């Protein structure tokens, strides 16, 4: 089986994004929260998925996608916690409906109602618990920078700010994918720069903190191939030694995993050669930030399975681990999904 751990509902009907625009505009105008999102029909969801994500999954031989709301659309830097709670619940409910319509093809991962300057608390915990316990989701997307590129909130190592949420992840036995959202900093294009910044920054915060000493079973997925990390593996190994830390492999690799959203052959080859095979999870982020055809290869940039199949760095055993086995190890709740336990 081939499991894509990084899929987003980027093709929602237009009224979904329109509602968020109206929500943000109303909040900026009056400080009030729009609480009544527009309806989306089952037919609209089917059309959105069958013409896009499901079609591409079928064409590329992807069996199952871990499916979450549109990442750049999480939009945490806009509004406040109350606004973002309404928005997150709306988006998560659409994911739930998609998963129930296609239970053999999608499994839910949730958006959290984070907000800039607001420590994750009751609203975040309750939505996470609702999604996992009531909707059957198996993970969450965690934004390490809800300020949208300004990095004004405490780092992930801040015990007062983040540790209660980490405790909830452990209690629910769900991993989190590190995923920033939009950027309101003009220096950082959201998908070209901010995403990679977020991935790399989170890894360094994991490396230089005691998070996994304090939470030895907590697991994170760093998307987009780990940002700059595999390319600078030697730098981070050396920094760990210079700081008197345990070796990088010992410090983080029982808890941190990297996906394969890397959109060229040489990049995938590097990832597979540098990162231990037990720490790599297959992903494509389709339909996502890069949707075109590479004129050099004649194939879609985001057809990441093609790169893994072509890589001399991978044998069949390694591919099985990347496509399925590693993911089942990282996502405990996926192992009891009907697709895997015969329910």
């Amino acid at each position: 089986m081939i499991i894509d751990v990084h899929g987003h509902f980027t093709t929602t009907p237009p009224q979904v994004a329109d509602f968020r625009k109206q929500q943000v505009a109303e909040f900026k105008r009056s400080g009030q929260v729009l609480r009544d999102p527009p309806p989306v029909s089952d037919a609209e969801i089917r059309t959105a998925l069958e013409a896009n994500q499901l079609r591409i999954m079928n064409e590329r031989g992807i069996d199952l996608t871990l499916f979450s709301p549109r990442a750049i659309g999480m939009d945490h830097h806009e509004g406040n916690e109350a606004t973002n709670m309404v928005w997150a619940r709306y988006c998560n409910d659409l994911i739930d409906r998609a998963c129930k319509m296609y239970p053999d093809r999608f499994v839910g991962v949730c958006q959290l109602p984070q907000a800039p300057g607001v420590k994750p608390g009751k609203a975040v915990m309750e939505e996470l618990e609702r999604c996992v316990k009531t909707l059957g989701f198996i993970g969450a997307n965690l934004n390490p920078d809800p300020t949208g590129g300004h990095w004004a909130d405490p780092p992930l190592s801040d015990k007062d700010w983040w540790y209660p949420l980490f405790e909830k992840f452990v209690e629910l036995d769900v991993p989190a994918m590190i995923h920033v959202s939009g950027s309101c900093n003009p220096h950082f294009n959201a998908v070209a720069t901010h995403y990679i910044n977020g991935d790399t920054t989170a890894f360094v915060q994991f490396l230089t903190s005691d998070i996994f000493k304090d939470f030895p079973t907590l697991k994170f997925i760093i998307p987009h191939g780990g940002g700059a990390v595999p390319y600078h593996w030697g730098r981070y190994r050396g920094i760990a030694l210079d700081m008197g830390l345990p070796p990088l492999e010992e410090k983080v690799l029982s808890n941190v995993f990297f996906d394969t959203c890397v959109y060229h052959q040489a990049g995938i080859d590097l990832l597979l050669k540098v990162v231990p095979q037990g720490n790599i999870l297959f992903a494509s982020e389709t339909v996502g930030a890069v949707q075109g055809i590479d004129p050099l290869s004649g194939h879609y940039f985001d057809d990441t399975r093609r790169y893994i199949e072509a890589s001399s760095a991978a044998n069949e055993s390694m591919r099985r681990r990347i496509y399925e086995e590693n993911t089942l190890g990282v996502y405990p709740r996926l192992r009891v999904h009907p697709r895997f336990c015969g329910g």
Side-chain angles (χ1 to χ4, degrees), residues 127-334:
E127 182 60 9
L128 174 62
E129 191 161 286
R130 181 184 80 93
C131 287
V132 173
K133 290 188 173 182
T134 303
L135 305 185
F137 287 15
I138 64 166
N141 290 336
L142 177 66
N143 188 347
D145 175 35
T147 67
H150 291 293
W151 295 93
D153 286 346
L156 294 168
S157 56
D158 188 286
K159 294 184 179 184
D160 178 66
W161 195 271
W162 294 105
Y163 270 32
L165 179 55
F166 296 167
E167 289 170 0
K168 181 61 72 171
F169 287 144
V170 171
E171 175 194 325
L172 294 172
D173 204 15
V174 293
M177 176 174 281
I178 296 294
H179 212 309
V180 296
S181 186
S183 171
C184 55
N185 185 329
H187 294 280
F188 302 138
N189 175 279
V191 298
T193 311
H194 187 41
Y195 280 19
I196 308 305
N197 287 349
D199 304 336
T200 308
T201 299
F203 179 84
V204 174
Q205 291 178 8
F206 295 146
L207 177 65
T208 57
S209 72
D210 289 328
I211 291 172
F212 302 128
K213 179 181 177 182
D214 297 330
F215 298 98
T217 63
L218 181 61
K219 289 182 171 59
F220 290 102
I221 303 90
I222 300 183
H224 318 115
V229 173
Y231 192 73
H232 289 289
W233 199 254
R235 171 181 289 264
Y236 298 123
R237 289 181 61 241
I239 286 172
L241 293 173
D242 289 348
M243 294 178 66
L245 299 172
L248 179 154
E249 294 81 0
E250 178 183 330
K251 189 75 161 58
V252 300
L253 290 189
S254 294
N255 307 85
V256 175
F257 302 84
F258 302 81
D259 82 9
T260 63
C261 291
V262 178
Y263 296 150
H264 64 134
Q265 187 67 55
I268 286 288
D269 291 342
L270 172 72
L271 176 68
L272 301 188
K273 289 176 182 177
V274 170
V275 175
Q277 63 180 272
N279 291 82
I280 303 172
L281 311 181
F282 176 74
S284 69
E285 201 176 16
T286 304
V287 178
V290 182
Q291 299 179 23
I293 293 175
D294 184 345
L296 298 179
S297 69
H299 301 293
Y300 283 95
F301 281 103
D302 63 2
D303 188 357
T304 54
R305 182 186 176 190
R306 182 180 295 275
Y307 306 135
I308 294 169
E309 293 293 326
S311 180
S312 61
N315 57 29
E316 284 307 308
S317 174
M318 185 177 185
R319 291 187 186 99
R320 280 197 304 274
R321 294 191 72 179
I322 292 171
Y323 288 149
E324 177 180 6
E325 293 170 6
N326 292 343
T327 297
L328 291 174
V330 172
Y331 289 87
R333 288 178 177 269
L334 184 59

